[in-house]
Amino acid sequence: MKTDEHDTDTDLGETPAMNGLGVSPGIAIGPAHVFETGMVSVPEFRIAARAVPAELERFQDAVGKSRRQVRRLRKRATGLAESAAEELGFLLEAHLQMLTGSRLVRGVEKRIGEERVNAEWAVQAEISQISKSFAEVSDPYLASRIQDIRDVGVRLVRNLTETPFHAFSNLPKGSIVIAQEITPADTAIMNPDVVRGFATQVGGAEGHTAIMARSLGLPAVLGVGDLTESVETGDTVIVDGVSGIVIVNPDAKTLAHYEWRRKELVKEERVLARLKRMPSVTRDGVDITLQANVELPIELKSALDVGAAGIGLLRSEFIYMNRDDLPSEDEQYRALCDVIEAMDGRPVTVRTLDLGGEKLSMALQDQFADSVNPALGLRAIRLSLKVRSLLEAQLSAILRASAKGPVRILLPMISSSREVRQVRQILNRLVRRLRRKRIALADPLPPLGVMIEVPGAALSADGLATVSDFFSIGTNDLIQYALAIDRGDEQVADLYDPLHPAVLRLIQFTTEAALRRQIPVNLCGEMAGDPRYTALLLGLGLRDLSMVSAAVPRIKKRIRALDIGEATQRTRHIMDQWDPGRIATMLDDFNALA
Ligand code: PEP
Ligand code: MG
C-alpha cells in the first residue's frame, strides 16, 4: 500500500532497533513501564502519625486473611498422595509461622509505626531486608527459605492491595509494558484500554503469552535479548509486533514513520471489517466455518463483531487464573452461562482444564511438585483425571450450562482412548446424578470430543474416533511434540515449523481418519489464523477453522479468493514433497497467485 512519502526504507530514521519475535501484529507507541521480575509493584507513601493505628489494623487484616488462605491450602493438601502431602504440609506450616508474630510481622509493624510508611511498602522493605540477611549466611537451608519469605510477602501485598493485579491496573493509560517475562496469567489481567502493547526478553511465538496478546489485540514482541537493560520507565518505546522490532527513544523521523504505519494498519483493519456480513465461502461455492478461540470473556464482543460462527475453543483456564483458590461448580456454571448466552445460539466448544505446563493456577501450583519436564508432565486431562473433584465440578458445570445453548465438551492433551472412556464414564455418572436432581440438561447431551495435539493421538486417530464425537486439531502442541521444539522458547523459535512434512502428515492423517469415521473435525491451533496456511488446510480436507477473533476477517478474505479444486490439487503436490523449504516455496507461489 504505497500511499505517501513515508513508505520507503530511507524514512525509517536513524534510531537503532532491537530484534525479537513479533508475536502479535500491530504497532504500539508510548511510555515504557519496566517491571522487575518477581517483584510486585506497590504504592509507596508516607502516612500521618494519626493514621498509624488504622494502617496497623489494615496490615493485621491482611495477615489474618493470608493465614486463612494458607490454612485452606494446608487442608486441601491433606488430600494429596502421602509424600506430597507431607512436603507441602511442612512448607505451608512454615508460611503460617511467618504470619504469626514472626520477625516479619513485627518488623512490618515497627516500620509502619516508626517510619510512618504504608503497609505495602513496609512489607516490601522488610522482606528485602530479611532476604539480604539470609543471603549473607552461607547456609543452604536458610537460602532456600528466602523464596518462602518472598512468597509470604507477595501474598501479604496482594491481600493489602485487595487485588493481585495492582501492578498493571495502576499504569498510566497508553503504557508499554517491558519485562523479562510475562506469564499468560499476567497477560490475562492486562486491560487493553490501559496497556498499549508489551515486549519481553523471554518467550516464544506460540506460547500462551503470545496467544493471549493476539487475543487481546495487544501488539507484542517477545524474546528481545537485552531488553530490560536497554529501557527505563518513562522512555518512549515503539513495539512493532509485525516485524518483531522494539525501538527506544526514537528520533523524530523514526517516530513519524511508525505513526504513519500504525495509522495504515488501522485503515487496513477497517477495510477488512467490511467483510463481516459476507459469507465465508470459496470461489467454487464451498462453505467454510470460521469460529473464534476465546481465552477471556472480554473477547466475546470481538468474536461477535467479526461475525464468528461460534466459539471453536473456549480455553476454560481463565476461570482458574490469578486467584489463590479454586472456583466452585456454581461459579463455573455462571461463567459458562454468560459465555453461552452472549453467543446467542451459536455453538460453544468448552475445553476442560488445560492447566499445567506453562499455564498454572496458583491454587493448584501449591499442591503439586514442579514437573522436571512440565510439557510432558501432569497437565491438562492427566491433571483432571488425577484430581477427580476438579474434573467433576467442571463437567457438571458444563452439563448444567448446556441447557442454555449449544455446547460441546473438548478434552485437551488426550493420548489414548482409555482417557476418553474414563471421562465418558464420569460424565455419564454426573448426568445420572443431575437428572435425579431434576436439573435441566441439553437434549441430546453435549458431544464429547478430543484435541488431537499429541503425535501419538494423531497416529491413532482411527481408534480415537471410535470413542470421540469430534476432533479438534491443536497444531500449537502438535508441532511442539512432533518436532521436540518448546513452543514458548525463543531460542528455538526458528525451528518451530508448521510446514515440516511430519506436521502436515499428522494433520492429514487426523483429518482423513475423521472423514473416514464420519465425525466432525476442525483445527484450532494458531495455523488456522494465518492466511499463509489457509489453502493448504482446506486442501487437506478441513472445512472448519477456529482462530483468534482478530484473524477471522483476514482468513475470510483469503477463503473468498480461493478455489477448493485448485487448493486441493496444489496440496496434493505439496504432500509429495519432503523438503520444508520446497514446501514453503510451493505454498507461497500458490498464495501469490491470488
Ligand atoms: C493447540 O495446542 O494447538 C491448542 C489450540 O491448544 P493450546 O494452544 O491452548 O495449547
Ligand atoms: Mg494445546
Side-chain angles (χ1 to χ4, degrees):
M1 218 184 287
K2 286 187 184 288
T3 48
D4 67 20
E5 74 279 10
H6 288 283
D7 198 16
T8 66
D9 282 349
T10 49
D11 281 316
L12 262 171
E14 302 289 323
T15 324
M18 291 184 278
N19 292 308
L21 301 164
V23 300
S24 179
I27 288 171
I29 305 173
H33 201 99
V34 183
F35 278 91
E36 280 183 50
T37 304
M39 298 289 280
V40 183
S41 169
V42 300
E44 297 178 7
F45 53 87
R46 298 203 174 269
I47 54 171
R50 64 176 189 290
V52 167
E55 197 62 8
L56 284 170
E57 196 180 325
R58 201 166 73 83
F59 174 61
Q60 275 309 334
D61 285 350
V63 171
K65 192 169 176 194
S66 303
R67 271 207 298 262
R68 284 194 296 280
Q69 288 166 346
V70 175
R71 269 196 220 106
R72 253 205 330 265
L73 286 171
R74 201 178 48 172
K75 200 160 147 214
R76 233 181 266 137
T78 52
L80 298 174
E82 212 174 288
S83 57
E86 195 178 331
E87 181 62 22
L88 191 62
F90 279 141
L91 187 81
L92 293 173
E93 188 54 46
H95 284 204
L96 262 185
Q97 278 170 16
M98 285 177 215
L99 288 162
T100 317
S102 63
R103 171 178 164 190
L104 169 65
V105 174
R106 285 195 311 274
V108 173
E109 286 170 343
K110 197 159 163 233
R111 279 176 198 271
I112 296 174
E114 291 177 6
E115 294 171 26
R116 297 217 205 118
V117 292
N118 64 311
E120 293 89 343
W121 188 0
V123 171
Q124 192 98 304
E126 194 59 29
I127 295 285
S128 140
Q129 197 190 331
I130 298 177
S131 307
K132 251 188 229 141
S133 58
F134 272 32
E136 278 158 14
V137 187
S138 58
D139 176 337
Y141 174 75
L142 281 185
S144 71
R145 300 258 67 104
I146 293 178
Q147 192 50 45
D148 292 339
I149 293 170
R150 290 211 178 107
D151 289 350
V152 169
V154 167
R155 185 182 294 283
L156 280 170
V157 169
R158 280 202 182 122
N159 285 328
L160 277 167
T161 52
E162 286 183 352
T163 155
F165 326 128
H166 214 83
F168 290 136
S169 54
N170 258 10
L171 293 178
K173 214 174 154 114
S175 295
I176 309 274
V177 172
I178 302 287
Q180 251 177 22
E181 183 175 8
I182 290 180
T183 65
D186 292 331
T187 327
I189 50 166
M190 279 186 188
N191 177 355
D193 290 336
V194 174
V195 176
R196 203 168 272 164
F198 66 88
T200 67
Q201 218 149 304
V202 177
E206 305 307 331
H208 281 93
T209 301
I211 294 177
M212 288 283 218
R214 290 194 278 274
S215 302
L216 293 171
L218 286 174
V221 178
L222 307 188
V224 184
D226 294 340
L227 184 69
T228 47
E229 285 97 74
S230 317
V231 189
E232 281 180 19
T233 295
D235 284 347
T236 297
V237 172
I238 298 172
V239 171
D240 176 351
V242 182
S243 316
I245 284 174
V246 175
I247 299 174
V248 187
N249 293 329
D251 57 29
K253 206 169 176 186
T254 310
L255 193 60
H257 172 80
Y258 275 95
E259 289 283 12
W260 167 79
R261 276 197 57 202
R262 195 171 56 79
K263 283 190 196 130
E264 286 300 304
L265 285 174
V266 173
K267 261 194 240 160
E268 209 181 308
E269 294 297 325
R270 247 184 248 136
V271 172
L272 280 170
R274 293 192 201 128
L275 284 172
K276 178 184 170 181
R277 300 201 188 286
M278 309 244 191
S280 169
V281 61
T282 60
R283 273 189 359 245
D284 48 344
V286 178
D287 283 317
I288 309 297
T289 305
L290 298 184
Q291 303 195 72
N293 291 352
V294 167
E295 336 271 318
L296 300 169
I298 58 165
E299 293 167 50
L300 290 171
K301 186 178 174 310
S302 357
L304 292 166
D305 281 352
V306 295
I311 296 179
L313 172 63
L314 180 69
R315 290 184 166 104
S316 62
E317 295 79 65
F318 74 88
I319 313 176
Y320 293 73
M321 277 183 184
N322 290 311
R323 55 190 294 165
D324 287 329
D325 57 349
L326 292 171
S328 66
E329 179 187 320
D330 280 344
E331 190 180 343
Q332 297 186 61
Y333 166 71
R334 282 191 300 272
L336 292 173
C337 286
D338 288 347
V339 174
I340 295 163
E341 280 163 4
M343 290 311 286
D344 198 19
R346 296 170 189 84
V348 176
T349 301
V350 185
R351 187 174 68 184
T352 63
L353 263 182
D354 192 7
L355 286 179
E358 55 172 354
K359 296 179 278 188
L360 282 173
S361 130
M362 286 176 223
L364 289 167
Q365 200 169 21
D366 287 344
Q367 294 192 29
F368 294 99
D370 287 343
S371 274
V372 179
N373 199 339
L376 306 179
L378 188 62
R379 53 172 296 196
I381 196 64
R382 303 166 187 180
L383 183 67
S384 297
L385 282 170
K386 184 144 189 154
V387 190
R388 289 292 168 98
S389 54
L390 260 187
L391 182 63
E392 287 179 5
Q394 190 169 32
L395 289 177
S396 195
I398 302 174
L399 283 169
R400 286 165 58 197
S402 72
K404 306 280 179 193
V407 165
R408 306 195 304 172
I409 303 173
L410 177 60
L411 306 176
M413 288 284 298
I414 287 291
S415 53
S416 76
S417 307
R418 190 166 156 262
E419 291 162 329
V420 189
R421 278 197 297 267
Q422 281 177 314
V423 175
R424 214 178 266 284
Q425 265 176 12
I426 296 171
L427 198 63
N428 290 342
R429 202 170 347 105
L430 290 170
V431 167
R432 285 196 295 275
R433 191 190 296 166
L434 291 168
R435 281 193 175 136
R436 268 199 307 277
K437 292 187 188 163
R438 304 200 178 289
I439 290 175
L441 306 177
D443 184 14
L445 289 167
L448 180 67
V450 302
M451 292 283 297
I452 301 291
E453 51 185 346
V454 173
L459 293 172
S460 51
D462 282 284
L464 279 171
T466 63
V467 291
S468 314
D469 298 324
F470 65 94
F471 283 164
S472 190
I473 305 177
T475 44
N476 307 340
D477 278 312
L478 195 57
I479 299 169
Q480 152 164 278
Y481 294 121
L483 305 181
I485 308 292
D486 185 335
R487 60 192 266 194
D489 185 345
E490 72 286 355
Q491 301 171 88
V492 287
D494 58 325
L495 298 173
Y496 185 95
D497 181 9
L499 292 180
H500 191 292
V503 172
L504 300 184
R505 291 256 168 320
L506 291 168
I507 299 175
Q508 180 185 40
F509 195 86
T510 307
T511 309
E512 288 177 357
L515 297 176
R516 258 194 309 275
R517 304 280 163 178
Q518 298 182 340
I519 62 167
V521 56
N522 74 350
L523 189 142
C524 65
E526 294 297 292
M527 273 180 92
D530 188 338
R532 184 182 185 205
Y533 306 119
T534 311
L536 186 57
L537 298 179
L538 301 193
L540 287 171
L542 287 155
R543 298 291 179 264
D544 186 341
L545 304 173
S546 189
M547 64 206 73
V548 54
S549 299
V552 169
R554 206 155 294 197
I555 298 298
K556 194 188 276 187
K557 183 174 171 210
R558 180 75 191 110
I559 285 169
R560 292 174 60 83
L562 274 175
D563 179 285
I564 283 277
E566 288 167 14
T568 309
Q569 203 181 12
R570 176 56 63 119
T571 301
R572 234 177 258 141
H573 292 314
I574 286 178
M575 294 308 286
D576 284 338
Q577 306 298 319
W578 287 107
D579 175 45
R582 175 89 186 115
I583 291 174
T585 310
M586 285 177 73
L587 181 61
D588 293 341
D589 287 351
F590 181 73
N591 287 338
L593 296 175

